């Protein structure tokens, strides 16, 4: 969750410790960081060591292949994410529109349109206004200017209109740690399961069992406390919470942050399959490859304002970096 300047400070401290003779064990889900800071890498899969290598001798593709237990040629053909593995998308009707939206100094004059079967990415550095845009679209933050259609003055209204919002911080804003997998998964659809004040428990368990199977959630059972699950499986429970709504729109803020490579690709496949069914997705990600391979369009933000809009096919990480380096204008 650090921005580039903060990461640079952290790495400076780590290097200074190394130069003093301190040995450092560095664990990260961000593979680019390993190539910047580490000398050697140990790759693990299913609790076992599969490789110990000098980083100078391997590529990012090699690490991903080792963690997934797949051949590098297979990963290279499919792409670094699971987004590129789906069928060609057909964009449908407009589902959501934001015009001139402001919520304060961190989001000003934001505009976008989202269509069925489309992924619109929001790109930018930490503090660029991406999360503020998501909160405005979901009715969390009151608008000081502009309009959103369908309008939602509160999250409950957005949920009623078929909008789901996977928040950036699953531990603080997503899971209820002492509640079970079942309770966490179904809390957004309880009104649909309730008649005369009674919850249809049989239907609830049927829904939970379906998503545990469909999303391959690793759990000892639906009554297991969600805090005991791995980060990737917690994230899949939260995705199931919104998929159970049969949503029209999914707003996903860093959906693969803090999960291992295997879980990341599974989550990306879930998103891809939802889009294939006509769901519109707003995707926020700090990982450029995820935006480049996943999004049909990327709206680039800086200091709460749109500075560029890039369109696929044709987006590259280099073009996205150049857009982020701009302060005004369209880098496309």
């Amino acid at each position: 969750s650090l921005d580039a300047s903060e990461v640079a400070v952290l790495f400076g401290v780590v290097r200074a410790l190394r130069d003093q003779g301190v040995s450092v064990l560095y664990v990260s889900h961000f593979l680019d960081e390993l190539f910047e800071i580490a000398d050697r890498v140990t790759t693990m899969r299913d609790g076992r060591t599969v490789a110990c290598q000098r980083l100078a001798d391997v590529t990012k593709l090699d690490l991903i292949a080792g963690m997934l237990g797949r051949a590098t040629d297979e990963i290279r053909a499919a792409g670094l994410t699971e987004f590129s593995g789906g069928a060609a998308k057909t964009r449908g009707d407009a589902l959501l529109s934001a015009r001139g939206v402001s919520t304060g100094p961190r989001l000003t004059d934001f505009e976008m349109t989202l269509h069925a079967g489309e992924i619109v990415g929001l790109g930018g550095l930490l503090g660029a206004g991406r999360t503020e845009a998501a909160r405005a679209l979901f009715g969390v933050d009151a608008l000081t200017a502009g309009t959103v259609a369908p309008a939602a003055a509160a999250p409950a209204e957005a949920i009623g209109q078929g909008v789901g919002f996977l928040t950036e911080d699953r531990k603080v804003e997503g899971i209820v740690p002492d509640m079970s997998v079942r309770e966490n998964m179904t809390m957004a659809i309880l009104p649909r399961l309730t008649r005369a004040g009674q919850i249809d428990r049989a239907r609830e368990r049927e829904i939970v069992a379906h998503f545990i199977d469909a999303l391959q959630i690793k759990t000892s059972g639906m009554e297991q406390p969600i805090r005991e699950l791995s980060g990737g499986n917690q994230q899949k429970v939260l995705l199931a919470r919104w998929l159970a709504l049969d949503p029209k729109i999914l707003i996903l803020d860093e959906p693969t942050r803090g999960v291992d490579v295997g879980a990341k690709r599974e989550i990306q496949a879930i998103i891809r399959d939802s889009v294939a069914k006509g769901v519109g997705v707003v995707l926020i990600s700090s990982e450029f490859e995820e935006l480049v391979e996943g999004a049909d369009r990327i709206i680039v933000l800086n200091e709460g304002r749109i500075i560029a809009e890039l369109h696929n096919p044709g987006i590259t990480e280099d073009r996205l970096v150049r857009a982020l380096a701009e302060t005004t204008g369209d880098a496309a």
Side-chain angles (χ1 to χ4, degrees):
S1 298
L2 304 180
D3 65 25
S5 62
E6 292 168 331
V7 171
V9 171
L10 170 65
F11 285 179
V13 172
V14 172
R15 291 188 180 101
L17 292 170
R18 176 201 60 195
D19 294 343
Q20 295 169 22
V22 176
S23 297
V24 178
L25 179 64
Y26 191 86
V27 182
S28 179
H29 288 297
F30 296 101
L31 301 186
D32 290 335
E33 293 182 353
L34 300 183
F35 287 93
E36 185 172 348
I37 196 67
D39 300 300
R40 293 182 294 116
V41 61
T42 296
T43 304
M44 301 183 69
R45 184 176 68 252
D46 296 331
R48 295 179 179 273
T49 298
V50 297
C52 293
Q53 301 158 292
R54 293 176 63 252
L55 271 164
D57 298 332
V58 297
T59 66
K60 188 175 181 180
L61 195 66
D62 294 327
L63 293 184
I64 293 174
M67 285 185 277
L68 295 177
R70 294 164 63 180
T72 54
D73 288 346
E74 183 182 354
I75 302 295
R76 185 179 292 108
L80 292 175
T81 74
E82 281 296 318
F83 286 120
S84 57
K89 302 171 188 174
T90 301
R91 194 171 81 166
D93 296 334
L95 298 176
L96 181 148
S97 176
R99 294 290 176 265
V101 168
S102 300
T103 58
R106 298 187 67 180
L107 185 69
T108 305
D109 200 27
F110 176 78
E111 300 202 355
M112 67 164 287
T113 300
L114 175 70
H115 295 79
E118 179 183 43
I119 298 178
V120 174
L122 300 185
L125 302 176
L126 194 67
R130 301 169 304 166
T131 294
E132 287 76 11
R135 289 169 62 90
L137 296 175
F138 195 61
V140 179
D141 296 339
L143 307 188
T144 58
T147 60
V148 175
E157 289 187 25
I159 292 170
Q161 294 163 350
V163 183
F165 180 26
L166 189 70
T167 58
E168 180 180 17
D169 192 332
R170 68 172 169 270
K171 292 188 181 296
V172 174
E173 298 178 328
I175 68 169
V176 183
D178 292 330
M179 294 176 70
S180 67
V181 169
R182 170 184 57 80
E183 292 167 314
N184 272 274
M185 192 183 294
T186 60
M187 59 177 55
I189 61 168
L190 285 180
R192 299 184 185 181
L193 297 174
T194 303
R195 296 290 183 273
Q198 296 294 317
I199 299 173
D200 185 342
R201 294 298 184 189
R203 177 58 180 154
E204 181 187 32
R205 287 191 292 271
E206 181 183 340
I207 291 170
V208 174
H210 166 74
F211 281 106
I212 288 175
D213 179 64
L215 305 190
Q216 300 181 49
I217 298 171
K218 295 179 177 64
T219 175
S220 63
M222 64 179 67
E223 299 305 323
Q224 182 180 12
I226 195 171
R227 67 173 182 272
E228 297 178 358
L229 272 58
S230 69
N233 284 294
Q234 288 178 359
Q235 197 76 326
K236 286 195 278 186
V237 171
L238 295 180
L239 270 172
R241 175 189 294 171
W242 300 117
L243 294 175
L245 279 173
D246 192 18
K248 298 177 182 177
I249 298 166
L250 285 174
I251 303 170
L252 307 176
D253 194 349
E254 301 285 5
T256 63
R257 172 180 286 174
V259 304
D260 64 40
V261 169
K264 178 179 294 187
R265 295 178 73 93
E266 290 174 349
I267 290 168
Q268 290 164 343
I270 293 165
I271 298 168
R272 182 196 69 206
D273 293 345
S274 296
V275 172
K277 295 174 183 176
V279 176
V281 172
V282 178
L283 175 65
I284 299 173
S285 178
S286 297
E287 298 199 33
F288 291 170
E289 65 195 27
E290 190 164 58
L291 286 178
V292 168
E293 292 194 10
D296 300 289
R297 293 181 289 125
I298 301 176
I299 296 172
V300 186
L301 293 152
N302 180 52
E303 296 183 351
R305 293 181 178 274
I306 295 174
I307 59 169
E309 183 170 323
L310 309 177
H311 294 256
N312 259 327
I315 304 176
T316 63
E317 290 191 38
D318 180 64
R319 292 185 68 202
L320 181 53
V321 169
R322 285 193 293 110
L324 289 170
E326 296 287 338
T327 56
T328 59
D330 189 338

